Amino acid sequence: MNLFYYPGACSLADHIALIETGLSYRLISIKHDKKTEDGRDFLSINPKGYIPTLELENGTILTENQVILNYIAEKSGKLLPGDPILRWRALEALAFMSSEIHSRYQPFFRNFPELEKERAREKLAQAFAILAEQMGDKTFLVSGEMTVADCYLFWVLMVAPRSGVELPEALSRSFDHMRALPSVIRAFAEEGLG
């Protein structure tokens, strides 16, 4: 499989999941001119023009973090709990992070006016409080084991400082724990991150 990515972007969640599951993959970076490092026109691969994008062995293209993370989990049989309710909780957390956190970062990524940033900070603080309550004192978000939700959570927490929102203790603890995992260390190294 080919994972199209930008270093340190949200595709990092998929990269971590691929390492955790042991699935075979190749990283292909995207340049700002929408060319891939192997010379292809990225828009011909994914007309949406953004990452992550996963190209399967048969040429099928998957987009959207939630879909790619779920695909990685399903294909590997890892990173989703066996318990049906906990499995749904992991998928629910993915959807929540995508809609209520990731989307709220736009004002900070694109330098929107301060009023819009302040509204986003309020919504982010509320969303982080919900996740912190869900996590409680568990090591991972939905259970005692890492799930695809934790891969995405790591990224949304990693970029949180851009917003100026202080993370609740449970989420800070989760970020520190995840940052020390071999899969995260390896993904950082492979993406050339410090």
Side-chain angles (χ1 to χ4, degrees):
M1 294 182 283
N2 293 319
L3 177 64
F4 295 91
Y5 79 107
Y6 291 121
C10 63
S11 50
L12 180 64
D14 310 276
H15 188 178
I16 293 166
L18 285 165
I19 294 168
E20 276 290 327
T21 59
L23 292 174
S24 180
Y25 66 92
R26 185 177 88 164
L27 291 175
I28 301 176
S29 68
I30 306 302
K31 300 176 178 150
H32 289 291
D33 64 358
K34 298 294 183 186
K35 296 288 183 198
T36 67
E37 71 179 80
D38 61 2
R40 293 187 275 170
D41 174 11
F42 182 59
L43 293 175
S44 70
I45 298 165
N46 178 0
K48 295 174 185 174
Y50 55 79
I51 49 91
T53 298
L54 188 66
E55 182 178 37
L56 306 183
E57 298 89 345
N58 67 4
T60 298
I61 301 296
L62 296 178
T63 65
E64 308 299 330
N65 249 327
Q66 295 175 64
V67 171
I68 293 170
L69 287 166
N70 198 31
Y71 176 82
I72 291 168
E74 291 289 331
K75 183 164 177 68
S76 68
K78 299 176 182 176
L79 295 181
L80 278 176
D83 177 277
I85 293 300
L86 291 178
R87 180 184 192 90
W88 287 116
R89 291 288 179 230
L91 297 174
E92 177 183 62
L94 280 177
F96 181 75
M97 285 184 278
S98 178
S99 64
E100 298 303 317
I101 298 176
H102 189 159
S103 65
R104 303 278 184 217
Y105 284 141
Q106 287 304 319
F108 308 102
F109 293 158
R110 299 179 189 240
N111 201 24
F112 284 20
E114 188 56 38
L115 182 59
E116 291 184 52
K117 290 180 181 179
E118 191 51 43
R119 284 189 201 129
R121 282 187 196 99
E122 290 171 14
K123 293 292 189 179
L124 285 167
Q126 292 169 359
F128 288 144
I130 290 168
L131 289 178
E133 184 175 330
Q134 180 179 357
M135 178 170 272
D137 55 4
K138 296 187 297 290
T139 303
F140 295 106
L141 188 57
V142 298
S143 70
E145 295 181 12
M146 183 186 211
T147 70
V148 288
D150 297 291
C151 298
Y152 199 21
L153 177 64
F154 177 79
W155 181 80
V156 299
L157 298 177
M158 183 181 85
V159 298
R162 289 185 185 186
S163 71
V165 175
E166 187 172 330
L167 295 175
E169 174 59 33
L171 298 184
S172 291
R173 186 180 68 245
S174 171
F175 179 79
D176 292 342
H177 177 260
M178 290 279 297
R179 181 64 182 96
L181 292 176
S183 57
V184 175
I185 292 168
R186 179 176 157 192
F188 267 59
E190 289 179 359
E191 293 193 19
L193 304 171

